[in-house]
Amino acid sequence: MGIAVIAYHRPRTLEAACALAREYGEEGAFLAGGTELIPDYRRGRESARHVIALDSVAELHGIHRVGDTLRIGALVTITQLTRSPHVQSFSEALVEAAGAIGSPIIRSRATIGGNFCRAVPCADTPAPAIAAGARVRLSGPDGERELPAEEFFTGSRQTVLRLGEVLIEVILPAQPARAASSYERFSRRRGASLAVAAVAVRLQVTDGTITDARVAYGAVSAVPVLSTRLATSLIGETPSEELFARVAAVSVEEAMPDAASRRSDSLRRDVLPTLTRRALARAAERANGRTT
């Protein structure tokens, strides 16, 4: 299917971009890297008649360390994520997730903002960002606001973004001392394949005991799932294969509470415990090797 004739806008300021989006409403769509938007036009899933390109908005670019936070602009590409030593130090899992996305060409165009805002359930970067305790900063005609990344998604391809509002940046807090993260995913084939199930884990291990944990799932539900129950069950325990196997055994119940009624989810039910166990073991191994 071809793409219908559309109007192309290229604002140079955040205020101008938000004003255009508010003016055109449902007939306007923001363009970041285009790796989801353009295919959506071809599939007939997107019909906005006005495309608002964001590449000239300076505030949306760059990775900046500010105090104890890392601020990742919405237009930072997936390739830039994989190559940033700052991102690696704040979240190994986010780097691993970025590296799993598509092909080198896709990664050079796709952006973290697009990965969030198109809100495709199988997107790779939201789960590790949530596991890292990320927040998102939004701006629109009514001003700016911040919220936890897990609250950004409201459904498949749905977010909390209001009319005329844009995602400015994803903000990562510093990884706690003696903490580390990991990301595991499963796809139907090797290469540039979409995730069928994914899990991101961050563990803090102090004197041989898990003192903090965050576990987030992707691609198994309409929105990324932050499992506070699994995280709580890990705190105060000694990392071990037995512990991780026990926790992983209830991962399906936590991440996919209604999966039993959907036969199409059988593959996810099968692989999720293994992914969870592997992610926990790898994060613990990394955290045990940390001295600070």
Side-chain angles (χ1 to χ4, degrees):
M1 180 178 179
I3 300 176
V5 176
I6 56 178
Y8 179 83
H9 308 267
R10 198 180 187 192
R12 295 190 175 276
T13 67
L14 196 58
E15 293 77 11
C18 293
L20 284 169
R22 188 163 195 173
E23 176 183 353
Y24 295 121
E26 292 184 358
E27 285 297 303
F30 285 125
L31 172 66
T35 56
E36 281 292 340
L37 180 64
I38 292 173
D40 278 351
Y41 271 111
R42 289 173 174 157
R43 299 182 192 114
R45 185 173 278 145
E46 181 60 71
S47 60
R49 307 292 294 177
H50 295 265
V51 168
I52 305 164
L54 297 172
D55 59 307
S56 294
V57 180
E59 296 98 315
L60 306 182
H61 291 273
I63 300 172
H64 307 286
R65 186 164 187 166
V66 181
D68 61 353
T69 66
L70 189 68
R71 295 174 177 265
I72 304 172
L75 290 192
V76 167
T77 68
I78 301 304
T79 294
Q80 288 172 325
L81 286 179
T82 65
R83 295 177 178 176
S84 169
H86 288 313
V87 177
Q88 178 70 28
S89 68
F90 274 70
S91 175
E92 303 94 331
L94 184 54
V95 173
E96 290 171 341
I101 294 175
S103 65
I105 292 176
I106 293 295
R107 290 194 292 273
S108 71
R109 294 292 306 167
T111 65
I112 189 170
N115 215 224
F116 268 64
C117 293
R118 297 306 288 180
V120 178
C122 61
D124 283 281
T125 61
I130 290 169
R135 297 180 65 83
V136 292
R137 184 161 71 100
L138 315 176
S139 181
D142 299 323
E144 292 189 4
R145 59 184 176 131
E146 271 189 28
L147 65 155
E150 60 268 25
E151 296 179 10
F152 181 73
F153 305 91
T154 59
S156 176
R157 295 179 174 271
Q158 298 176 336
T159 72
V160 299
L161 286 170
R162 299 166 182 162
L163 183 63
E165 202 167 36
V166 65
L167 170 64
I168 302 175
E169 60 187 3
V170 177
I171 306 168
L172 301 184
Q175 195 157 238
R178 298 181 178 84
S181 64
S182 67
Y183 180 74
E184 291 282 342
R185 79 195 299 261
F186 177 82
S187 59
R188 293 183 185 275
R189 64 180 188 276
R190 293 183 181 274
S193 186
L194 301 177
V196 171
V199 57
V201 169
R202 189 187 73 190
L203 295 180
Q204 182 181 32
V205 181
T206 306
D207 297 329
T209 300
I210 299 172
T211 51
D212 188 49
R214 287 180 68 90
V215 181
Y217 290 95
V220 297
S221 181
V223 300
V225 177
L226 177 64
S227 176
T228 54
R229 179 186 169 195
L230 287 189
T232 300
S233 71
L234 290 162
I235 296 175
E237 300 286 345
T238 300
S240 67
E241 292 182 7
E242 293 76 17
L243 171 66
F244 297 150
R246 185 171 73 248
V247 171
V250 297
S251 59
V252 173
E253 177 186 344
E254 276 293 285
M256 307 169 61
D258 59 343
S261 64
R262 302 198 302 265
R263 290 185 60 190
S264 62
D265 281 327
S266 60
L267 180 58
R268 292 185 173 93
R269 293 197 302 270
D270 290 342
V271 302
L272 206 56
T274 299
L275 295 178
T276 301
R277 178 177 53 79
R278 288 176 178 172
L280 289 168
R282 202 144 57 88
E285 181 181 7
R286 288 172 173 170
N288 273 322
R290 293 278 163 83
T291 57
T292 58

